[in-house]
Amino acid sequence: MPNEAANQEQDFLIDLLRATYQNQELYPILQHNLSKLNDNLALKLRKWVSDRFAKEPAIAINLARVIIKLSTIIQEFEQGNIASNLEIAIAGYETVLQVCTREAFPKEWDIVQQALITAYQQRQYILSRTIGELREQTVQTQSQINTLTEQLQEELQQAKLQVNDLTTTITELKQETNSSESAPEITSLIAELKELKQRQIRVEQFTSKVHASPNIGQFNTAIFYDIENLTMGRSNPNLNFSLKQIQTNLENTNLVNKIAIQCAYADWSDSRLRLLKNEIQELGIEAIQIFDYSHKRNAADMQLAIDVMELAQSRPTLQVFVIVSGDGAFAALAKKLHEYGKTVIGCAYEGQINRILKSVCDCFIPIPAPQVKIEDIPTNEVTSESLLNDNILIVTNKVLQDLKQNIEQLNQLQEGGIYLNQIYHILKDNIPNFDQKRKQHGYKLAKFLKKVIEGTDICLSSDNNKLILRETLTLGSNGSSNRTLNGGTPYLRTRVLTTNSVT
């Protein structure tokens, strides 16, 4: 039976793709198959399309365009389970990015990016609404617990009064007579007193359990690892760190009781990260796969922030949130967690954490900074004028290269440049003792930066007051000019997605 159901799902998927390719009306088909529009169909779509792309690369782009059109229609379909419709659409968009790269198919890539942005916003809205409903249910449940507790307290008080009355009665009887005729009555009262005491003990135990229920097991901590930040980038990832040691240091703080959830965000398809597999499995960390649907660095950050806020609202027992990253973008997330009454612990390399993030965390646990190996230092970043153990040139270059991972700063670099006074403040915020380390080289800022960016795709403007990207001006076939980075892919401006955009 399971195989038969799986075959029906695949047949339904193929029928949808065929109808989309033939420009048939899809709404009647969707309306008659609402039960099949579920998360299983989203998984089936990912696997089937990936297999077809691999087996038949010649038709990949045409198939990708059909999937874009189908995903757009399902995203706008308002019947059935809206959340499942959205997951199917997202699965289609993310899968076609295997073929529709920015370099090879910029038009389709741009359409998919805009569609994904809209889909992720819709998903966030649905999650927020669901979380709100869960919070209301939690409040109602807590109210019921409080009512039950009050009733039990009243019953306990009555039991105590009865015990006191019986104790007084027994004492009086003992004082009045020692005759054998009174002994049976006294024995009966004593037995009743013992039964009431046992009842009192049971009520007290149950009451204590009710009070302890919001903190069952004391699993109060969730840890979120930004693996790309720990590896210090993707080009030459540093794996010289211990997740076990990070976890041990956290458990030694008086804020962490027991760890309930651990998530590590990365592109785990990168074969270089396999060295972390055993440690992640041993520690019970969930590996969250991040596809590069947007600028590489923002993808993991966005998903991490979404997951944190969802858990903060839906899991009242989680009181401590640990962010293992030095990225300053998480400062706003830490402030939002404080609004929900949560405790935030920051954990990052010594000297590599953003000072604003560190200041808003309730506690900061440093990770020893990895030593730079001589063979790992790019030759264009270290010259005879810099000592191998003084990596200020390397660190500065990394901060400048990271500017391209931020959409707003990338646009500035492409379309006019970033003034040196802004660059100075960025470097000072991200590099501890920047001025002191820079001045050891005897350079003024402009001369120092010129040394740092030598041989990279970043350069100084002609008047030495801005940093810009090296770029050439190419002329399109229609006579219009296209701005191109390093002779590469044209920079695409934002477009509005419409169903007519799918060809």
Side-chain angles (χ1 to χ4, degrees):
M1 291 300 291
N3 290 336
E4 181 179 351
N7 291 335
Q8 290 178 353
E9 290 175 353
Q10 181 159 319
D11 291 341
F12 175 58
L13 173 61
I14 294 173
D15 289 342
L16 282 179
L17 292 170
R18 183 183 297 111
T20 305
Y21 176 73
Q22 296 173 353
N23 292 321
Q24 296 180 21
E25 180 62 40
L26 288 186
Y27 276 18
I29 300 176
L30 298 175
Q31 289 169 347
H32 285 86
N33 295 275
L34 294 179
S35 62
K36 295 178 183 178
L37 296 176
N38 52 40
D39 292 345
N40 285 336
L41 185 62
L43 295 174
K44 181 73 66 176
L45 176 61
R46 288 185 188 274
K47 185 178 185 307
W48 187 86
V49 173
S50 296
D51 290 344
R52 290 298 297 270
F53 283 165
K55 293 178 181 178
E56 302 181 66
I59 67 167
I61 185 58
N62 290 330
L63 177 59
R65 289 173 177 143
V66 172
I67 294 169
I68 294 172
K69 184 176 180 180
L70 174 61
S71 298
T72 303
I73 293 173
I74 293 180
Q75 182 179 355
E76 297 173 351
F77 187 59
E78 297 181 352
Q79 298 183 34
N81 189 318
I82 303 300
S84 294
N85 296 347
L86 194 58
E87 289 305 317
I88 295 169
I90 290 175
Y93 292 138
E94 290 182 344
T95 305
V96 300
L97 287 178
Q98 299 175 29
V99 174
C100 297
T101 62
R102 184 176 183 178
E103 292 77 12
F105 300 97
K107 178 181 177 182
E108 287 79 3
W109 181 89
D110 191 35
I111 290 172
V112 173
Q113 294 299 319
Q114 292 301 315
L116 276 173
I117 289 172
T118 302
Y120 291 139
Q121 290 173 343
Q122 291 174 338
R123 174 200 272 171
Q124 180 63 25
Y125 171 76
I126 292 173
L127 285 174
S128 299
R129 186 177 62 186
T130 303
I131 290 169
E133 294 172 354
L134 289 173
R135 292 184 67 186
E136 290 181 4
Q137 294 175 5
T138 302
V139 171
Q140 293 175 357
T141 302
Q142 187 62 48
S143 176
Q144 293 173 355
I145 291 175
N146 293 338
T147 301
L148 179 59
T149 302
E150 292 174 1
Q151 294 174 351
L152 289 173
Q153 290 287 5
E154 292 176 2
E155 186 174 348
L156 177 62
Q157 187 63 30
Q158 292 176 359
K160 287 181 178 179
L161 292 174
Q162 291 177 0
V163 169
N164 292 336
D165 290 343
L166 284 172
T167 302
T168 302
T169 302
I170 291 172
T171 302
E172 291 174 352
L173 286 172
K174 284 182 177 180
Q175 292 175 351
E176 288 179 359
T177 179
N178 292 323
S179 65
S180 59
E181 295 178 355
S182 301
E185 184 179 356
I186 294 174
T187 302
S188 175
L189 288 172
I190 291 174
E192 187 175 350
L193 175 61
K194 290 181 179 179
E195 181 181 350
L196 281 173
K197 284 186 175 181
Q198 291 176 352
R199 181 182 176 189
Q200 177 183 351
I201 291 172
R202 289 196 299 268
V203 172
E204 288 176 343
Q205 290 175 342
F206 185 78
T207 303
S208 63
K209 289 181 180 179
V210 170
H211 282 303
S213 61
N215 297 309
I216 295 174
Q218 298 298 316
F219 286 93
N220 69 333
T221 302
I223 306 176
F224 302 86
Y225 301 87
D226 182 356
I227 296 298
E228 185 174 345
N229 191 273
L230 283 174
T231 59
M232 304 179 73
R234 299 186 181 188
S235 58
N236 187 21
N238 159 62
L239 300 176
N240 188 27
F241 58 85
S242 170
L243 295 174
K244 176 65 176 177
Q245 187 60 50
I246 292 173
Q247 189 181 103
T248 300
N249 293 341
L250 289 169
E251 291 174 339
N252 289 335
T253 67
N254 56 5
L255 296 174
V256 175
N257 196 335
K258 290 184 179 180
I259 299 172
I261 296 173
Q262 295 188 85
C263 299
Y265 299 79
D267 181 2
W268 295 105
S269 62
D270 188 338
S271 59
R272 294 170 295 183
L273 299 182
R274 290 178 182 173
L275 296 176
L276 302 177
K277 178 181 177 181
N278 291 337
E279 191 173 21
I280 283 180
Q281 291 179 335
E282 178 185 349
L283 299 177
I285 300 173
E286 181 179 2
I288 306 298
Q289 172 63 37
I290 299 298
F291 295 97
D292 295 336
Y293 55 78
S294 182
H295 290 275
K296 292 183 179 179
R297 189 169 181 176
N298 289 339
D301 295 355
M302 287 172 58
Q303 190 61 53
L304 189 154
I306 290 172
D307 291 350
V308 167
M309 290 311 303
E310 178 185 356
L311 290 171
Q313 297 180 70
S314 63
R315 303 283 186 89
T317 56
L318 293 178
Q319 292 298 317
V320 180
F321 286 76
V322 182
I323 302 174
V324 184
S325 175
D327 195 334
F330 291 122
L333 178 62
K335 293 177 182 177
K336 182 60 68 174
L337 286 171
H338 285 160
E339 293 180 16
Y340 285 89
K342 308 299 183 182
T343 299
V344 182
I345 298 178
C347 186
Y349 291 122
E350 294 176 324
Q352 297 294 325
I353 188 171
N354 178 272
R355 63 182 181 85
I356 299 177
L357 174 59
K358 184 176 182 179
S359 68
V360 298
C361 288
D362 301 290
C363 175
F364 173 67
I365 298 178
I367 304 172
Q371 296 296 319
V372 179
K373 299 178 182 179
I374 295 178
E375 60 268 23
D376 291 340
I377 302 177
T379 55
N380 64 319
E381 294 178 343
V382 177
T383 66
S384 59
E385 299 181 23
S386 63
L387 300 175
L388 291 177
N389 62 352
D390 180 9
N391 62 356
I392 183 60
L393 296 177
I394 300 173
V395 175
T396 303
N397 181 64
K398 183 180 185 303
V399 173
L400 296 181
Q401 292 297 326
D402 285 347
L403 295 177
K404 294 182 293 182
Q405 309 300 332
N406 181 287
I407 296 177
E408 181 179 351
Q409 292 171 340
L410 175 63
N411 289 342
Q412 288 180 282
L413 288 170
Q414 291 173 328
E415 298 181 359
I418 303 178
Y419 285 101
L420 290 193
N421 61 341
Q422 293 178 255
I423 296 294
Y424 171 72
H425 288 296
I426 292 172
L427 294 174
K428 195 172 181 181
D429 288 343
N430 287 275
I431 303 176
N433 302 319
F434 171 70
D435 286 332
Q436 180 181 355
K437 295 177 181 179
R438 172 177 63 86
K439 290 178 180 178
Q440 290 178 358
H441 292 267
Y443 298 141
K444 291 184 177 180
L445 181 61
K447 189 174 180 180
F448 172 75
L449 292 177
K450 186 175 181 181
K451 191 70 178 178
V452 170
I453 62 180
E454 182 180 355
T456 70
D457 58 351
I458 299 177
C459 64
L460 283 169
S461 61
S462 57
D463 51 5
N464 285 345
N465 71 335
K466 292 182 181 179
L467 282 187
I468 60 175
L469 282 179
R470 302 179 189 275
E471 52 186 27
T472 61
L473 196 64
T474 63
L475 195 63
S477 60
N478 59 355
S480 61
S481 61
N482 295 323
R483 187 176 295 276
T484 305
L485 305 181
N486 298 322
T489 304
Y491 171 71
L492 296 174
R493 296 188 177 277
T494 303
R495 301 175 187 155
V496 178
L497 176 67
T498 65
T499 55
N500 295 330
S501 300
V502 181
T503 59

